[in-house]
Amino acid sequence: MKRYDLIVVGAGPAGLSAAIEAARCGMRVAVFDENAKPGGQLFKQIHKFFGSKEHQAKIRGYKIGETLLAEAAEAGVEVFLNATVAGIYLDKELLVQRGEVMEHFKADTIIIATGAAENMVTFEGWTLPGVIGAGAAQTMMNLYGIKPGQKVLMLGSGNVGLVVSFQLMQAGCEVVALVDAAPRVGGYGVHAAKIARCGVPFYLAHTITKAEGSNCVTGVEIAQVDDDFAPIPGTEKHFDVDTICLAVGLSPMSQLLKMAGCNMVDDPRRGGQVPQVDENGETSIPGLFAAGDVSGIEEASSAMIQGRMSGLAAAAYLGFLSEQDKDNRLADLEIALDSLHQGMFAPGSKGKTIAKTDEGIAVSQSLLKKGYLDDADLERFINRSDQTDKKSGIHPVIECTQNIPCNPCQDACTRGCIKVGKTITALPRIDAANSCTGCGMCIASCSGQAIFLVDEDYAPGYASITLPYEFLPRPQKGELGIALSRSGRPLGYAEIIDVRSAKAYDQTTLVTIKVPVEQAMTARFYQPETNAAGQ
Amino acid sequence: MTRISEHPILGETEKGRRVTFFMDGKTIEGYAGEPIAVALKAAGVMVHRYTQKAHEPRGIFCAIGRCTDCVMIVDGVPNIRTCITPLVEGMKIQTQDGVSGLEVSE
């Protein structure tokens, strides 16, 4: 029987982070993962992450995955793939299936980082081929380069539903509607705004009543729901689709912890059956830890910090790290984790209705119901006297209206035009005392694609708007297309006057359009005319 | 056009060697090493199996080997999770009917 100082189950963001920290302390570490490739779900995450520098904000998920794998290799972590941990027994003995063989391993400490599984909902026809999980859609398009479908309806307006909807469009699929039984969008408003401005209609307080088709999905019927989530007869709507995507939450895959005999609790706020853990992830069994989604659904950024914390705690448990060093290093990680737990979407805010931002501004109800800011919201958030740059010329317009832990825009602007301040969840403010050079770094650094550069004085009667663009084909300078509003409504012709790509923009193209000056604060997206004609 | 030829963020997808395999007797092309389910998807195959009792169609659902909805008969072995089993040249895939192969009229 092979023996390790630490065995980590799961080679996702939490597990790899834990293994790296422990191995750097001198521990002999093995990681088992049932999949053929390491990285968990990170390699399917092609969007830029939120957070601050220490959370690797504005870096795309798959690149964070590449960094973790390199660090694990360098630290001497042994990663076993196609290795399913089938059981944990007394004294930290593990049973592992590799191919046709069952093997026993012995660990002195164990970290369970098995992540989460997707939830599903049932409706008539939900088992038809063509009804898929949002994770399946990501796997197909972002790992294997294949479209999950041509016309897709998304159920679920949490961050997964919103992010995957955008990724579906990036892959060339049409998203016909975003549906959620809840009365409000569950995920970040900036993610919702990205898909709303592409013209995707939001149906909140709606649910799927049936998937249509005999051998596979050919259509879907949705209906409005009442306060008890029951469909209201007579409100049914039909869409022709070949794919229905379900993004209805995640549940911790905590079975191994239960099997090991850890004290478990049923905590709906953490996503279901989760282990009782201390602040470093240690369960009721000394030396056995849980990190990442398995001990409560959050996201990859906090999973990585939790992983590192449990890795250090495991090292200290076996004496590879002094108690004092452990305390010092954990203190920093706790601050980083704590900052991710702030704001409107913090774990503690789950289920609460928030009426005002921390700044005391009434939140946008339009954003929560339709996915975009309306005119009244602009008055409150954007056109405030202290937020308007009175000088002529180009200036940033930041449509970030919810308190979320994210601040790369502040670091991106070398001119000091954008201020978030020490509180990472504060709304970014424009400092009109400094002048914008139009470099565009703020646009590319905003993971929510919520920053635009506007110049009302571009030419007599015309304004220029620079916006983030992550679709193909990339527009060409001189091209004529359609300017779209925040709701995706065509406003008229727009001319492409500049297209910028740079390594520092990381695959985000900065497209500058010329529109009539009265559209300076309404035009927020660009559609090539060929697409417009095709729809 | 199910395959993504070029992606705005990921560029071109790395693919293995182009190979042929057999699906219910028909010859289909795919890329070696990609999941069987992906090659079938590219070929327009939606139904992977029919359930034993109600004879209902099933296809890809989770795509990560967890739900077992996409199982098929691969080289004579039933219940193979096609979403996580790599495609090998010359593989014989059959639509699964219960636990047997679906009878195909040629």
Side-chain angles (χ1 to χ4, degrees):
Chain A
M1 188 161 54
K2 257 192 154 175
R3 189 170 187 139
Y4 287 92
D5 296 324
L6 167 66
I7 287 180
V8 180
V9 187
L16 286 176
S17 303
I20 291 164
E21 288 297 339
R24 282 177 181 167
C25 293
M27 294 174 92
R28 220 171 137 240
V29 183
V31 182
F32 294 108
D33 195 296
E34 62 181 349
N35 298 291
K37 289 177 185 165
Q41 308 308 308
L42 268 180
F43 287 94
K44 302 167 192 177
Q45 310 307 326
I46 61 168
H47 58 284
K48 294 176 180 174
F49 276 29
F50 287 73
S52 183
K53 256 190 222 153
E54 72 259 31
H55 311 120
Q56 310 199 55
K58 77 171 181 160
I59 300 176
R60 298 184 192 272
Y62 70 97
K63 293 194 174 164
I64 295 176
E66 286 166 5
T67 308
L68 280 181
L69 289 185
E71 285 178 0
E74 201 190 339
V77 174
E78 286 180 63
V79 180
F80 295 86
L81 300 170
N82 297 308
T84 307
V85 176
I88 297 182
Y89 305 98
L90 203 62
D91 294 332
K92 303 191 177 70
E93 192 181 324
L94 290 89
L95 180 66
V96 183
Q97 184 188 355
R98 295 171 71 198
E100 303 290 301
V101 185
M102 301 299 284
E103 291 175 285
H104 286 262
F105 290 86
K106 171 81 176 77
D108 291 320
T109 53
I110 295 177
I111 296 174
I112 303 292
T114 43
E118 285 188 285
N119 297 339
M120 52 197 105
V121 286
T122 59
F123 44 83
E124 188 185 330
W126 77 283
T127 56
L128 276 174
V131 179
I132 59 170
Q138 281 194 312
T139 306
M140 287 192 246
M141 60 192 176
N142 298 340
L143 274 194
Y144 299 117
I146 193 153
K147 288 188 210 174
Q150 304 298 332
K151 294 176 82 134
V152 187
L153 180 127
M154 176 67 71
L155 181 70
S157 71
N159 275 335
V160 173
L162 298 173
V163 166
V164 174
S165 292
F166 190 74
Q167 292 176 358
L168 280 162
M169 291 190 280
Q170 289 181 305
C173 312
E174 185 189 343
V175 178
V176 299
L178 184 107
V179 176
D180 199 316
R184 283 175 289 274
V185 170
Y188 289 176
V190 285
H191 279 318
K194 281 193 309 189
I195 58 175
R197 71 174 88 111
C198 293
V200 177
F202 284 51
Y203 292 93
L204 279 305
H206 278 70
T207 195
I208 295 175
T209 43
K210 84 178 150 186
E212 298 160 353
S214 52
N215 245 352
C216 59
V217 172
T218 55
V220 60
E221 185 190 88
I222 66 168
Q224 201 179 331
V225 295
D226 60 22
D227 292 343
D228 299 320
F229 298 107
I232 302 169
T235 62
E236 295 87 358
K237 282 186 189 68
H238 164 88
F239 296 91
D240 284 332
V241 295
D242 53 33
T243 304
I244 297 168
C245 211
L246 307 179
V248 290
L250 300 164
S251 295
M253 291 205 284
S254 54
Q255 297 90 337
L256 278 176
L257 290 156
K258 198 171 183 176
M259 183 182 191
C262 300
N263 288 347
M264 305 293 287
V265 285
D266 194 10
D267 186 346
R269 284 198 317 173
R270 287 160 70 193
Q273 282 283 319
V274 285
Q276 251 174 21
V277 288
D278 71 6
E279 65 277 12
N280 304 325
E282 191 163 12
T283 66
S284 58
I285 298 176
L288 200 159
F289 301 79
D293 274 356
V294 72
S295 70
I297 304 298
E298 292 188 31
E299 33 71 58
S301 304
S302 46
M304 287 186 280
I305 300 176
Q306 288 175 3
R308 293 172 65 185
M309 292 171 79
S310 64
L312 291 172
Y317 177 83
L318 288 190
F320 282 85
L321 188 67
S322 74
E323 281 297 315
Q324 197 186 343
D325 284 349
K326 178 189 96 166
D327 291 343
N328 289 342
R329 296 181 61 186
L330 284 175
D332 290 342
L333 290 172
E334 267 163 36
I335 292 168
L337 185 62
D338 190 53
S339 71
L340 287 179
H341 287 168
Q342 305 300 317
M344 292 178 175
F345 296 86
S349 302
K350 240 177 213 174
K352 286 184 197 158
T353 311
I354 290 163
K356 282 186 172 174
T357 69
D358 293 346
E359 291 79 4
I361 308 171
V363 300
S364 166
Q365 294 303 320
S366 173
L367 188 64
L368 292 172
K369 293 197 166 72
K370 293 182 270 187
Y372 54 89
L373 301 172
D374 66 16
D375 293 345
D377 300 328
L378 294 184
E379 289 306 317
R380 289 198 310 283
F381 285 99
I382 314 290
N383 299 340
R384 291 184 297 146
S385 58
D386 63 325
Q387 286 303 286
T388 315
D389 188 346
K390 293 282 192 312
K391 292 188 296 294
S392 65
I394 198 159
H395 60 96
V397 172
I398 307 185
E399 307 196 351
C400 175
T401 64
Q402 293 173 325
N403 299 113
I404 56 177
C406 193
N407 67 3
C409 55
Q410 169 172 263
D411 298 329
C413 185
T414 53
R415 305 286 297 212
C417 299
I418 302 173
K419 300 269 161 69
V420 176
K422 283 211 170 64
T423 309
I424 186 179
T425 50
L427 299 183
R429 297 180 314 281
I430 305 287
D431 187 342
N434 299 317
S435 331
C436 170
T437 59
C439 74
M441 283 307 294
C442 55
I443 299 182
S445 75
C446 178
S447 309
Q449 300 189 12
I451 304 185
F452 305 85
L453 290 179
V454 177
D455 184 357
E456 285 90 347
D457 306 306
Y458 172 73
Y462 287 96
S464 75
I465 303 168
T466 305
L467 46 90
Y469 198 84
E470 293 192 350
F471 294 95
L472 289 179
R474 288 203 174 79
Q476 301 296 312
K477 204 170 163 177
E479 183 181 304
L480 207 58
I482 309 291
L484 300 181
S485 73
R486 290 181 183 82
S487 63
R489 187 170 54 86
L491 298 172
Y493 282 106
E495 185 194 337
I496 303 285
I497 52 173
D498 198 11
V499 178
R500 286 184 278 170
S501 303
K503 202 172 173 219
Y505 297 162
D506 188 13
Q507 308 295 333
T508 305
T509 303
L510 268 52
V511 171
T512 307
I513 56 174
K514 177 183 152 188
V515 291
V517 71
E518 57 272 18
Q519 291 173 13
M521 283 308 284
T522 52
R524 283 298 175 266
F525 204 59
Y526 173 81
Q527 188 178 46
E529 202 173 12
T530 44
N531 280 14
Q535 280 177 9
Chain B
M1 281 293 286
T2 315
R3 297 223 186 240
I4 303 164
S5 52
E6 201 191 350
H7 190 283
I9 307 301
L10 300 168
E12 283 176 40
T13 314
E14 270 182 52
K15 295 195 176 76
R17 196 165 51 90
R18 198 149 177 85
V19 294
T20 55
F21 66 103
F22 307 97
M23 161 73 188
D24 290 342
K26 282 200 234 39
T27 306
I28 297 182
E29 285 196 347
Y31 293 97
E34 70 181 356
I36 295 168
V38 170
L40 292 176
K41 177 103 189 151
V45 174
M46 291 295 287
V47 178
H48 286 224
R49 66 177 180 110
Y50 291 93
T51 58
Q52 185 146 20
K53 288 179 187 163
H55 199 71
E56 287 174 352
R58 293 285 192 273
I60 301 170
F61 181 73
C62 80
I64 53 169
R66 185 145 295 278
C67 76
T68 68
D69 245 12
C70 69
V71 299
M72 301 178 90
I73 300 176
V74 177
D75 289 335
V77 184
N79 293 332
I80 298 296
R81 293 175 291 175
T82 55
C83 68
I84 56 162
T85 304
L87 180 68
V88 175
E89 181 162 25
M91 262 181 172
K92 291 184 179 63
I93 318 286
Q94 288 169 274
T95 305
Q96 190 166 318
D97 188 8
V99 286
S100 318
L102 185 74
E103 286 193 20
V104 191
S105 52
E106 286 293 324

mmCIF file of all heavy atoms in Angstrom, chain B residues 86-103:
data_model
loop_
_atom_site.group_PDB
_atom_site.id
_atom_site.type_symbol
_atom_site.label_atom_id
_atom_site.label_comp_id
_atom_site.label_asym_id
_atom_site.label_seq_id
_atom_site.Cartn_x
_atom_site.Cartn_y
_atom_site.Cartn_z
ATOM 1 N N PRO B 86 -12.761 8.142 -25.213
ATOM 2 C CA PRO B 86 -12.128 8.693 -26.427
ATOM 3 C C PRO B 86 -12.405 7.846 -27.662
ATOM 4 O O PRO B 86 -12.459 6.608 -27.587
ATOM 5 C CB PRO B 86 -10.635 8.676 -26.085
ATOM 6 C CG PRO B 86 -10.543 8.476 -24.611
ATOM 7 C CD PRO B 86 -11.769 7.725 -24.212
ATOM 8 N N LEU B 87 -12.576 8.522 -28.784
ATOM 9 C CA LEU B 87 -12.821 7.850 -30.057
ATOM 10 C C LEU B 87 -11.526 7.229 -30.574
ATOM 11 O O LEU B 87 -10.467 7.846 -30.531
ATOM 12 C CB LEU B 87 -13.346 8.869 -31.073
ATOM 13 C CG LEU B 87 -13.662 8.334 -32.467
ATOM 14 C CD1 LEU B 87 -14.866 7.397 -32.423
ATOM 15 C CD2 LEU B 87 -13.917 9.482 -33.433
ATOM 16 N N VAL B 88 -11.656 5.972 -31.026
ATOM 17 C CA VAL B 88 -10.526 5.258 -31.610
ATOM 18 C C VAL B 88 -10.943 4.836 -33.019
ATOM 19 O O VAL B 88 -12.104 4.478 -33.246
ATOM 20 C CB VAL B 88 -10.170 4.009 -30.753
ATOM 21 C CG1 VAL B 88 -9.079 3.186 -31.422
ATOM 22 C CG2 VAL B 88 -9.735 4.432 -29.351
ATOM 23 N N GLU B 89 -10.008 4.901 -33.948
ATOM 24 C CA GLU B 89 -10.293 4.546 -35.333
ATOM 25 C C GLU B 89 -10.916 3.150 -35.423
ATOM 26 O O GLU B 89 -10.459 2.213 -34.760
ATOM 27 C CB GLU B 89 -8.992 4.579 -36.150
ATOM 28 C CG GLU B 89 -9.207 4.257 -37.612
ATOM 29 C CD GLU B 89 -8.023 4.709 -38.454
ATOM 30 O OE1 GLU B 89 -6.908 4.825 -37.918
ATOM 31 O OE2 GLU B 89 -8.233 4.956 -39.656
ATOM 32 N N GLY B 90 -11.967 3.040 -36.220
ATOM 33 C CA GLY B 90 -12.578 1.741 -36.478
ATOM 34 C C GLY B 90 -13.545 1.264 -35.400
ATOM 35 O O GLY B 90 -14.079 0.145 -35.492
ATOM 36 N N MET B 91 -13.804 2.082 -34.391
ATOM 37 C CA MET B 91 -14.736 1.687 -33.321
ATOM 38 C C MET B 91 -16.114 1.371 -33.899
ATOM 39 O O MET B 91 -16.572 2.033 -34.823
ATOM 40 C CB MET B 91 -14.893 2.834 -32.313
ATOM 41 C CG MET B 91 -14.054 2.711 -31.079
ATOM 42 S SD MET B 91 -14.395 4.115 -29.991
ATOM 43 C CE MET B 91 -13.480 3.580 -28.542
ATOM 44 N N LYS B 92 -16.751 0.369 -33.294
ATOM 45 C CA LYS B 92 -18.117 0.043 -33.704
ATOM 46 C C LYS B 92 -19.066 0.489 -32.595
ATOM 47 O O LYS B 92 -19.071 -0.062 -31.500
ATOM 48 C CB LYS B 92 -18.254 -1.454 -33.958
ATOM 49 C CG LYS B 92 -17.491 -1.910 -35.200
ATOM 50 C CD LYS B 92 -17.705 -3.379 -35.499
ATOM 51 C CE LYS B 92 -16.955 -3.770 -36.762
ATOM 52 N NZ LYS B 92 -15.463 -3.602 -36.599
ATOM 53 N N ILE B 93 -19.854 1.523 -32.926
ATOM 54 C CA ILE B 93 -20.786 2.093 -31.957
ATOM 55 C C ILE B 93 -22.193 1.647 -32.338
ATOM 56 O O ILE B 93 -22.560 1.675 -33.512
ATOM 57 C CB ILE B 93 -20.746 3.646 -32.001
ATOM 58 C CG1 ILE B 93 -19.323 4.171 -32.112
ATOM 59 C CG2 ILE B 93 -21.504 4.249 -30.828
ATOM 60 C CD1 ILE B 93 -18.490 4.085 -30.888
ATOM 61 N N GLN B 94 -22.979 1.247 -31.341
ATOM 62 C CA GLN B 94 -24.370 0.889 -31.609
ATOM 63 C C GLN B 94 -25.291 1.658 -30.680
ATOM 64 O O GLN B 94 -24.995 1.818 -29.487
ATOM 65 C CB GLN B 94 -24.588 -0.607 -31.365
ATOM 66 C CG GLN B 94 -23.972 -1.531 -32.406
ATOM 67 C CD GLN B 94 -24.043 -2.955 -31.892
ATOM 68 O OE1 GLN B 94 -23.148 -3.394 -31.164
ATOM 69 N NE2 GLN B 94 -25.090 -3.680 -32.246
ATOM 70 N N THR B 95 -26.422 2.123 -31.229
ATOM 71 C CA THR B 95 -27.454 2.709 -30.385
ATOM 72 C C THR B 95 -27.927 1.613 -29.436
ATOM 73 O O THR B 95 -28.207 0.495 -29.863
ATOM 74 C CB THR B 95 -28.640 3.192 -31.243
ATOM 75 O OG1 THR B 95 -28.137 4.084 -32.242
ATOM 76 C CG2 THR B 95 -29.668 3.910 -30.396
ATOM 77 N N GLN B 96 -27.990 1.940 -28.156
ATOM 78 C CA GLN B 96 -28.351 0.930 -27.164
ATOM 79 C C GLN B 96 -29.859 0.931 -26.953
ATOM 80 O O GLN B 96 -30.471 1.983 -26.816
ATOM 81 C CB GLN B 96 -27.602 1.237 -25.857
ATOM 82 C CG GLN B 96 -27.691 0.139 -24.831
ATOM 83 C CD GLN B 96 -26.674 0.331 -23.707
ATOM 84 O OE1 GLN B 96 -25.522 0.687 -23.947
ATOM 85 N NE2 GLN B 96 -27.103 0.097 -22.483
ATOM 86 N N ASP B 97 -30.431 -0.271 -26.961
ATOM 87 C CA ASP B 97 -31.880 -0.414 -26.763
ATOM 88 C C ASP B 97 -32.057 -1.276 -25.521
ATOM 89 O O ASP B 97 -31.883 -2.488 -25.586
ATOM 90 C CB ASP B 97 -32.491 -1.075 -28.004
ATOM 91 C CG ASP B 97 -34.003 -1.074 -27.951
ATOM 92 O OD1 ASP B 97 -34.565 -0.428 -27.041
ATOM 93 O OD2 ASP B 97 -34.622 -1.714 -28.825
ATOM 94 N N GLY B 98 -32.380 -0.660 -24.397
ATOM 95 C CA GLY B 98 -32.279 -1.379 -23.132
ATOM 96 C C GLY B 98 -30.809 -1.607 -22.874
ATOM 97 O O GLY B 98 -30.061 -0.652 -22.700
ATOM 98 N N VAL B 99 -30.396 -2.899 -22.882
ATOM 99 C CA VAL B 99 -28.952 -3.151 -22.814
ATOM 100 C C VAL B 99 -28.454 -3.856 -24.069
ATOM 101 O O VAL B 99 -27.310 -4.271 -24.148
ATOM 102 C CB VAL B 99 -28.554 -3.984 -21.564
ATOM 103 C CG1 VAL B 99 -28.630 -3.126 -20.307
ATOM 104 C CG2 VAL B 99 -29.403 -5.217 -21.431
ATOM 105 N N SER B 100 -29.347 -3.991 -25.068
ATOM 106 C CA SER B 100 -28.946 -4.646 -26.319
ATOM 107 C C SER B 100 -28.716 -3.586 -27.393
ATOM 108 O O SER B 100 -29.027 -2.420 -27.201
ATOM 109 C CB SER B 100 -30.047 -5.592 -26.810
ATOM 110 O OG SER B 100 -30.589 -6.304 -25.725
ATOM 111 N N GLY B 101 -28.221 -4.047 -28.528
ATOM 112 C CA GLY B 101 -28.049 -3.138 -29.649
ATOM 113 C C GLY B 101 -29.393 -2.924 -30.340
ATOM 114 O O GLY B 101 -30.211 -3.835 -30.425
ATOM 115 N N LEU B 102 -29.632 -1.700 -30.794
ATOM 116 C CA LEU B 102 -30.873 -1.411 -31.522
ATOM 117 C C LEU B 102 -30.827 -2.130 -32.854
ATOM 118 O O LEU B 102 -29.807 -2.135 -33.533
ATOM 119 C CB LEU B 102 -30.994 0.093 -31.749
ATOM 120 C CG LEU B 102 -32.280 0.590 -32.381
ATOM 121 C CD1 LEU B 102 -33.423 0.538 -31.377
ATOM 122 C CD2 LEU B 102 -32.100 2.018 -32.896
ATOM 123 N N GLU B 103 -31.938 -2.779 -33.207
ATOM 124 C CA GLU B 103 -31.958 -3.464 -34.493
ATOM 125 C C GLU B 103 -32.081 -2.443 -35.598
ATOM 126 O O GLU B 103 -32.977 -1.604 -35.596
ATOM 127 C CB GLU B 103 -33.118 -4.463 -34.538
ATOM 128 C CG GLU B 103 -32.800 -5.671 -33.678
ATOM 129 C CD GLU B 103 -33.747 -6.838 -33.925
ATOM 130 O OE1 GLU B 103 -34.386 -6.863 -34.998
ATOM 131 O OE2 GLU B 103 -33.846 -7.691 -33.042
#
